[in-house]
Amino acid sequence: QQTDLVDMFAVLDIESSTKEDVKDREIFIKVLESVTKNIKHDILKERLEYDTLERVKLISNSKQFNTKYVRTRTKVVLQAAEVQSVTGGERGLQQADDGAC
């Protein structure tokens, strides 16, 4: 399954970004670039680091992508809080928090 493969890439992403050996990181990026054509980009964007996504050209700017993500997440949480205040329960906020990630 693609999700299993992407999960493996996510672990390698973290491992290669924390190593001092730049060569391992470059090899990982080249492998990732070669397989991104065959994997759903949404799954990769959910699990890989922003700088990695930028390096394999799935996003154009990691800072801009992060800003957009934070704004979207904030909007979802605020909408859920609004629903919660209208309904008087916590269910709306929990659903939004579970579904937004």
Side-chain angles (χ1 to χ4, degrees):
Q1 273 191 357
Q2 284 191 0
T3 55
D4 293 337
L5 182 62
V6 174
D7 287 340
M8 180 189 70
F9 282 135
V11 171
L12 291 172
D13 185 18
I14 293 168
E15 290 292 323
S16 68
S17 66
T18 58
K19 286 186 177 181
E20 293 179 17
D21 188 2
V22 177
K23 185 179 178 183
D24 286 346
R25 180 72 176 166
E26 293 304 316
I27 291 170
F28 169 71
I29 294 296
K30 287 182 182 185
V31 169
L32 192 57
E33 285 175 332
S34 68
V35 299
T36 56
K37 299 172 189 102
N38 301 317
I39 299 175
K40 293 179 182 177
H41 292 179
D42 291 344
I43 299 171
L44 291 168
K45 288 179 182 178
E46 285 176 358
R47 296 193 172 107
L48 298 179
E49 298 294 321
Y50 300 142
D51 62 321
T52 303
L53 293 170
E54 184 175 3
R55 294 224 19 221
V56 296
K57 298 175 181 69
L58 290 178
I59 61 174
S60 59
N61 184 316
S62 60
K63 289 182 182 179
Q64 189 177 43
F65 184 82
N66 184 43
T67 301
K68 187 175 181 180
Y69 172 79
V70 169
R71 287 180 182 164
T72 302
R73 180 80 177 120
T74 302
K75 183 178 177 181
V76 168
V77 170
L78 291 175
Q79 286 174 344
E82 188 176 304
V83 167
Q84 181 184 8
S85 69
V86 170
T87 61
E90 294 182 18
R91 186 170 183 219
L93 185 58
Q94 289 173 346
Q95 286 176 341
D97 196 36
D98 292 342
C101 291

